[in-house]
Amino acid sequence: MAIARFKALELAQSRPTVPVKIPTEKVTDYYGSNTFNDEVMRSLLSPEAYLKITNAIEDGKKIDREAADEVAAAMKSWALSKGVTHYTHWFQPLTGTTAEKHDAFFDITGKGKAVEKFKGSALVQQEPDASSFPNGGIRSTFEARGYTAWDPSSPAFIMENVAGTATLCIPSVFVSYTGEALDYKTPLLKSSELIDKAATKVMNEYFSREVSKVSASVGIEQEYFLVDEALYNARPDLMMSGRTVFGHSPAKGQQLEDHYFGSIPSRVNAFMVDFELEALKLGMPVRTRHNEVAPAQFEVAPTFEEANLACDHNALLMDLMNKVAAKHKMRVLFHEKPFAGINGSGKHNNWSLATDTGVNLLGPSTKPKENLRFLTFFVNTIKAVHDYADLLRASIATAGNEHRLGANEAPPAIVSIFIGTEMTRVLNDLENLSEMHDIKLEKGDNVYLRLGINKIPALLLDNTDRNRTSPFAFTGNKFEFRAVGSSANSAAPMTILNTIVANQLLQFREEVDVYLEKGIKKELAIVEVLKKYVKQSRKILFEGNGYSEEWAEEASKRGLSNLKTAPEALTKYLEKSAIDLFSKHGIFNEIEMHARYEIEIENYIKKIQIESRVVGDLAINHIVSTSLKYQTQLVDNVRGQKEIGIDPQYYAPTIEIIKKISIYTAKINNLVDEMTEARKEANNVEDTAERARLYSTKVKNFLEEIRYCVDKLELIVDDDEWPLPKYRELLLIR
Ligand code: ADP
Ligand code: MG
């Protein structure tokens, strides 16, 4: 009997719901109570220091030593009053998780006395042991040191730990001694500054002098699965690689039975309420969606925020969910494809641009003049995605997301844009406008009427259903980048998107200015350039079913890339056009681009390597051994039947099963040997790109082949003996 599996099942099924203490106050009373937010700063800082820090937040101005000391002192007393004992710089290294290095607030003086200590210098900068974080070769050649530096634009927060203690977390960037970024936040901040500059310029020159700042707004819908902790622990593959490498999925098209997966189970509900509460205290505007796309799959969608905050909050939310889930004896699976044959998980990044005057630049309006503004940002975004689709694809390229992109229930690896019927019509009209010089404006003529720009409906129909198959969809007042993987750090794709759109807006301005210099009316000049962009970007627009095979064919005819594997996609970071783009705008220099490539490609290799080892171990030690034991029972049984003279026709089917077990176990043994050999060969290759290619083309395929045999055995071997919790058990969470 497979004791571990049944013990786990018993535990999972008998778990009580962990009660959640609901505060008696209103949400507004505790929202953000664990953050060192504006209100706290205003009450604790001198007016001068407060002004300096708000300037730092809004304009990225440097904070001087004095102000830093004052902020540190205020932060310390605020934190101590809330029972906090430690502080840490909280940052996002390129491992994909968040990192912390906790220091105690207290220090020992020479006389053996403890004093509370936290100076401005400790707030502003720390030096974690950087050697344990990936650097893509940046530091190994030069200096092994890295620094974290305070990002005042993201509020410090208190993270409560399981032991009942709490830590003050200070959001920080992480850079090498030589100044290269070693994290996700640094380039995102730079890209936000860039898009502010570019979009503000366009606004000021063509639409409004009042705007002094434009920021990218990002709303992140996070999908995830929940699994009981005991069942999770009984699946070494989930523990090691975050996904099930084996497991017979319900037959295609067959719905998992309703009674398993009806309403939200109370344990899950308690978990959701609990993490929502904690998130609200941390100032995260969560709106939990209790919908399940697949069994045991859920989604949380906070309200959008400024890009840097939204990305920090998403990373923090993932941390928080892990912590709270542990309290509820569950595990959160952020892997893009934890279960074969069942919907994967994404992280939809909704993106738009907002001015400091409160205008959503991707929101259509009832006023024609405002619609020219809307069209400007709308079309420029399309053009940017058209020109740099490969970079967007590279920004979401991971081993996990490879399972999702192009699989039949996720956006394809082909980047295209869905804009809906109404916007399609608007762009068609725009493209068919006569040449600008043919538009003769009479005195009193309404230029917008003549341009047809008065006709955009302010409320665009929500095309959610059809846009589901698109990796990049316009959803009424924002673009939704749906192809981002659920485990990703959103800062990576958002950095790329900000940069390419900013670059495009700068180019747009140059092109419009050429017409303006010729004395052409502003509106006509803008329309003329937009019209050209629509023509040039046509091939990226696609309204049909992105999952269909016809689309792959059509896309290839259109000359769109279809980069199916992560290694292929990642090489796009190394192309000259990419390096030029990023270095021109100071987002990444060439060294940083190479480093990022190296890190991502090494992550990829590591992931496949781990999966391959897990598959080998489990297949041999769990599956083959169990199957052979069961086979021996069958052999004994047949022998017995023969002995007592049963007609052979009755045990012939059992012999068939015995044969099948022989066939599959032998096949598994051989495949595991071959896979180990392929891994060895790949590991011997020095060049990382080539090693990744080998893992992708010579190792990965074995995972599927071995899985096929194992899943067949799962259908044959006695259920009592099967060592791994089955899909229906993993997905049954109550
Ligand atoms: P639904 O998709 O159910 O209609 P919404 O459209 O309100 O829901 O929002 C989906 C996601 O898009 C949410 O995370 C939301 O915060 C985000 N979102 C809405 N408006 C914007 C915007 N202007 N910029 C960025 N994200 C946005
Ligand atoms: Mg959505």
mmCIF file of all heavy atoms in Angstrom, residues 321-342:
data_model
loop_
_atom_site.group_PDB
_atom_site.id
_atom_site.type_symbol
_atom_site.label_atom_id
_atom_site.label_comp_id
_atom_site.label_asym_id
_atom_site.label_seq_id
_atom_site.Cartn_x
_atom_site.Cartn_y
_atom_site.Cartn_z
ATOM 1 N N MET A 321 1.133 35.574 -0.245
ATOM 2 C CA MET A 321 0.267 34.420 -0.490
ATOM 3 C C MET A 321 0.951 33.137 -0.041
ATOM 4 O O MET A 321 0.330 32.263 0.562
ATOM 5 C CB MET A 321 -0.103 34.359 -1.979
ATOM 6 C CG MET A 321 -1.122 35.428 -2.361
ATOM 7 S SD MET A 321 -1.260 35.665 -4.141
ATOM 8 C CE MET A 321 -2.215 34.222 -4.590
ATOM 9 N N ASN A 322 2.248 33.024 -0.311
ATOM 10 C CA ASN A 322 2.987 31.846 0.144
ATOM 11 C C ASN A 322 2.924 31.722 1.663
ATOM 12 O O ASN A 322 2.692 30.639 2.199
ATOM 13 C CB ASN A 322 4.454 31.933 -0.288
ATOM 14 C CG ASN A 322 4.629 31.537 -1.749
ATOM 15 O OD1 ASN A 322 3.864 30.737 -2.280
ATOM 16 N ND2 ASN A 322 5.625 32.108 -2.405
ATOM 17 N N LYS A 323 3.143 32.846 2.330
ATOM 18 C CA LYS A 323 3.155 32.824 3.797
ATOM 19 C C LYS A 323 1.783 32.469 4.358
ATOM 20 O O LYS A 323 1.664 31.642 5.253
ATOM 21 C CB LYS A 323 3.594 34.190 4.338
ATOM 22 C CG LYS A 323 5.088 34.386 4.219
ATOM 23 C CD LYS A 323 5.562 35.628 4.936
ATOM 24 C CE LYS A 323 7.065 35.755 4.735
ATOM 25 N NZ LYS A 323 7.498 37.117 4.488
ATOM 26 N N VAL A 324 0.758 33.141 3.841
ATOM 27 C CA VAL A 324 -0.582 32.913 4.378
ATOM 28 C C VAL A 324 -1.061 31.496 4.046
ATOM 29 O O VAL A 324 -1.693 30.831 4.872
ATOM 30 C CB VAL A 324 -1.570 33.980 3.847
ATOM 31 C CG1 VAL A 324 -2.985 33.679 4.297
ATOM 32 C CG2 VAL A 324 -1.150 35.371 4.312
ATOM 33 N N ALA A 325 -0.695 31.011 2.879
ATOM 34 C CA ALA A 325 -1.103 29.654 2.501
ATOM 35 C C ALA A 325 -0.519 28.630 3.475
ATOM 36 O O ALA A 325 -1.195 27.676 3.876
ATOM 37 C CB ALA A 325 -0.671 29.340 1.073
ATOM 38 N N ALA A 326 0.717 28.854 3.884
ATOM 39 C CA ALA A 326 1.353 27.917 4.829
ATOM 40 C C ALA A 326 0.542 27.840 6.116
ATOM 41 O O ALA A 326 0.344 26.762 6.679
ATOM 42 C CB ALA A 326 2.787 28.359 5.111
ATOM 43 N N LYS A 327 0.039 28.989 6.546
ATOM 44 C CA LYS A 327 -0.791 29.029 7.755
ATOM 45 C C LYS A 327 -2.048 28.177 7.569
ATOM 46 O O LYS A 327 -2.545 27.580 8.511
ATOM 47 C CB LYS A 327 -1.178 30.492 8.002
ATOM 48 C CG LYS A 327 -1.613 30.817 9.388
ATOM 49 C CD LYS A 327 -1.677 32.340 9.543
ATOM 50 C CE LYS A 327 -3.086 32.794 9.847
ATOM 51 N NZ LYS A 327 -3.222 34.262 9.765
ATOM 52 N N HIS A 328 -2.536 28.134 6.353
ATOM 53 C CA HIS A 328 -3.757 27.378 6.070
ATOM 54 C C HIS A 328 -3.456 25.974 5.565
ATOM 55 O O HIS A 328 -4.321 25.319 5.004
ATOM 56 C CB HIS A 328 -4.626 28.142 5.070
ATOM 57 C CG HIS A 328 -5.209 29.399 5.630
ATOM 58 N ND1 HIS A 328 -6.481 29.479 6.127
ATOM 59 C CD2 HIS A 328 -4.657 30.623 5.830
ATOM 60 C CE1 HIS A 328 -6.701 30.706 6.589
ATOM 61 N NE2 HIS A 328 -5.601 31.418 6.416
ATOM 62 N N LYS A 329 -2.210 25.569 5.718
ATOM 63 C CA LYS A 329 -1.782 24.220 5.304
ATOM 64 C C LYS A 329 -2.046 23.971 3.823
ATOM 65 O O LYS A 329 -2.552 22.929 3.408
ATOM 66 C CB LYS A 329 -2.499 23.145 6.142
ATOM 67 C CG LYS A 329 -2.286 23.301 7.633
ATOM 68 C CD LYS A 329 -0.933 22.754 8.037
ATOM 69 C CE LYS A 329 -0.711 22.872 9.525
ATOM 70 N NZ LYS A 329 0.538 23.594 9.840
ATOM 71 N N MET A 330 -1.734 25.003 3.044
ATOM 72 C CA MET A 330 -1.858 24.852 1.600
ATOM 73 C C MET A 330 -0.606 25.398 0.943
ATOM 74 O O MET A 330 0.193 26.083 1.580
ATOM 75 C CB MET A 330 -3.083 25.612 1.094
ATOM 76 C CG MET A 330 -4.384 24.990 1.527
ATOM 77 S SD MET A 330 -5.807 25.753 0.736
ATOM 78 C CE MET A 330 -6.013 27.201 1.708
ATOM 79 N N ARG A 331 -0.457 25.081 -0.316
ATOM 80 C CA ARG A 331 0.637 25.642 -1.097
ATOM 81 C C ARG A 331 0.067 26.349 -2.307
ATOM 82 O O ARG A 331 -0.879 25.854 -2.927
ATOM 83 C CB ARG A 331 1.575 24.537 -1.599
ATOM 84 C CG ARG A 331 2.353 23.873 -0.517
ATOM 85 C CD ARG A 331 3.259 24.855 0.162
ATOM 86 N NE ARG A 331 3.868 24.236 1.322
ATOM 87 C CZ ARG A 331 5.161 24.291 1.584
ATOM 88 N NH1 ARG A 331 5.964 24.951 0.775
ATOM 89 N NH2 ARG A 331 5.645 23.707 2.656
ATOM 90 N N VAL A 332 0.666 27.489 -2.637
ATOM 91 C CA VAL A 332 0.255 28.200 -3.842
ATOM 92 C C VAL A 332 1.180 27.761 -4.964
ATOM 93 O O VAL A 332 2.399 27.731 -4.794
ATOM 94 C CB VAL A 332 0.409 29.723 -3.672
ATOM 95 C CG1 VAL A 332 -0.160 30.450 -4.875
ATOM 96 C CG2 VAL A 332 -0.273 30.189 -2.398
ATOM 97 N N LEU A 333 0.611 27.404 -6.085
ATOM 98 C CA LEU A 333 1.441 27.066 -7.245
ATOM 99 C C LEU A 333 1.396 28.245 -8.215
ATOM 100 O O LEU A 333 0.342 28.578 -8.753
ATOM 101 C CB LEU A 333 0.930 25.807 -7.944
ATOM 102 C CG LEU A 333 0.750 24.567 -7.063
ATOM 103 C CD1 LEU A 333 0.266 23.395 -7.919
ATOM 104 C CD2 LEU A 333 2.041 24.192 -6.350
ATOM 105 N N PHE A 334 2.544 28.854 -8.401
ATOM 106 C CA PHE A 334 2.620 29.972 -9.347
ATOM 107 C C PHE A 334 3.156 29.517 -10.700
ATOM 108 O O PHE A 334 3.331 30.328 -11.600
ATOM 109 C CB PHE A 334 3.508 31.090 -8.789
ATOM 110 C CG PHE A 334 2.855 31.883 -7.690
ATOM 111 C CD1 PHE A 334 3.366 31.864 -6.403
ATOM 112 C CD2 PHE A 334 1.724 32.636 -7.953
ATOM 113 C CE1 PHE A 334 2.763 32.603 -5.388
ATOM 114 C CE2 PHE A 334 1.111 33.378 -6.945
ATOM 115 C CZ PHE A 334 1.639 33.362 -5.655
ATOM 116 N N HIS A 335 3.464 28.228 -10.815
ATOM 117 C CA HIS A 335 3.988 27.722 -12.084
ATOM 118 C C HIS A 335 2.968 27.940 -13.206
ATOM 119 O O HIS A 335 1.761 27.881 -12.970
ATOM 120 C CB HIS A 335 4.320 26.236 -11.953
ATOM 121 C CG HIS A 335 5.165 25.714 -13.079
ATOM 122 N ND1 HIS A 335 4.636 25.431 -14.325
ATOM 123 C CD2 HIS A 335 6.483 25.452 -13.159
ATOM 124 C CE1 HIS A 335 5.607 25.013 -15.122
ATOM 125 N NE2 HIS A 335 6.740 25.018 -14.438
ATOM 126 N N GLU A 336 3.482 28.180 -14.416
ATOM 127 C CA GLU A 336 2.603 28.458 -15.547
ATOM 128 C C GLU A 336 1.786 27.238 -15.974
ATOM 129 O O GLU A 336 0.738 27.375 -16.601
ATOM 130 C CB GLU A 336 3.411 28.954 -16.754
ATOM 131 C CG GLU A 336 3.881 30.389 -16.641
ATOM 132 C CD GLU A 336 5.014 30.582 -15.663
ATOM 133 O OE1 GLU A 336 5.640 29.576 -15.253
ATOM 134 O OE2 GLU A 336 5.297 31.741 -15.279
ATOM 135 N N LYS A 337 2.293 26.078 -15.653
ATOM 136 C CA LYS A 337 1.571 24.885 -16.107
ATOM 137 C C LYS A 337 1.776 23.759 -15.095
ATOM 138 O O LYS A 337 2.483 22.780 -15.357
ATOM 139 C CB LYS A 337 2.124 24.466 -17.483
ATOM 140 C CG LYS A 337 1.269 23.468 -18.223
ATOM 141 C CD LYS A 337 0.032 24.088 -18.812
ATOM 142 C CE LYS A 337 -0.813 23.019 -19.489
ATOM 143 N NZ LYS A 337 -2.123 23.552 -19.870
ATOM 144 N N PRO A 338 1.155 23.876 -13.932
ATOM 145 C CA PRO A 338 1.393 22.838 -12.920
ATOM 146 C C PRO A 338 0.769 21.494 -13.286
ATOM 147 O O PRO A 338 1.245 20.462 -12.829
ATOM 148 C CB PRO A 338 0.760 23.401 -11.646
ATOM 149 C CG PRO A 338 0.026 24.618 -12.019
ATOM 150 C CD PRO A 338 0.346 24.991 -13.425
ATOM 151 N N PHE A 339 -0.277 21.502 -14.103
ATOM 152 C CA PHE A 339 -0.967 20.260 -14.442
ATOM 153 C C PHE A 339 -1.145 20.146 -15.945
ATOM 154 O O PHE A 339 -1.766 21.024 -16.557
ATOM 155 C CB PHE A 339 -2.342 20.217 -13.778
ATOM 156 C CG PHE A 339 -2.290 20.359 -12.287
ATOM 157 C CD1 PHE A 339 -2.563 21.578 -11.680
ATOM 158 C CD2 PHE A 339 -1.941 19.280 -11.491
ATOM 159 C CE1 PHE A 339 -2.496 21.719 -10.304
ATOM 160 C CE2 PHE A 339 -1.864 19.402 -10.113
ATOM 161 C CZ PHE A 339 -2.135 20.629 -9.521
ATOM 162 N N ALA A 340 -0.636 19.091 -16.509
ATOM 163 C CA ALA A 340 -0.808 18.897 -17.952
ATOM 164 C C ALA A 340 -2.283 18.674 -18.257
ATOM 165 O O ALA A 340 -3.004 18.057 -17.476
ATOM 166 C CB ALA A 340 0.016 17.707 -18.412
ATOM 167 N N GLY A 341 -2.720 19.207 -19.374
ATOM 168 C CA GLY A 341 -4.096 18.952 -19.802
ATOM 169 C C GLY A 341 -5.122 19.813 -19.085
ATOM 170 O O GLY A 341 -6.318 19.686 -19.302
ATOM 171 N N ILE A 342 -4.663 20.676 -18.198
ATOM 172 C CA ILE A 342 -5.568 21.563 -17.460
ATOM 173 C C ILE A 342 -5.055 22.987 -17.665
ATOM 174 O O ILE A 342 -3.844 23.192 -17.778
ATOM 175 C CB ILE A 342 -5.579 21.156 -15.973
ATOM 176 C CG1 ILE A 342 -6.368 19.853 -15.871
ATOM 177 C CG2 ILE A 342 -6.178 22.237 -15.087
ATOM 178 C CD1 ILE A 342 -6.389 19.228 -14.541
#
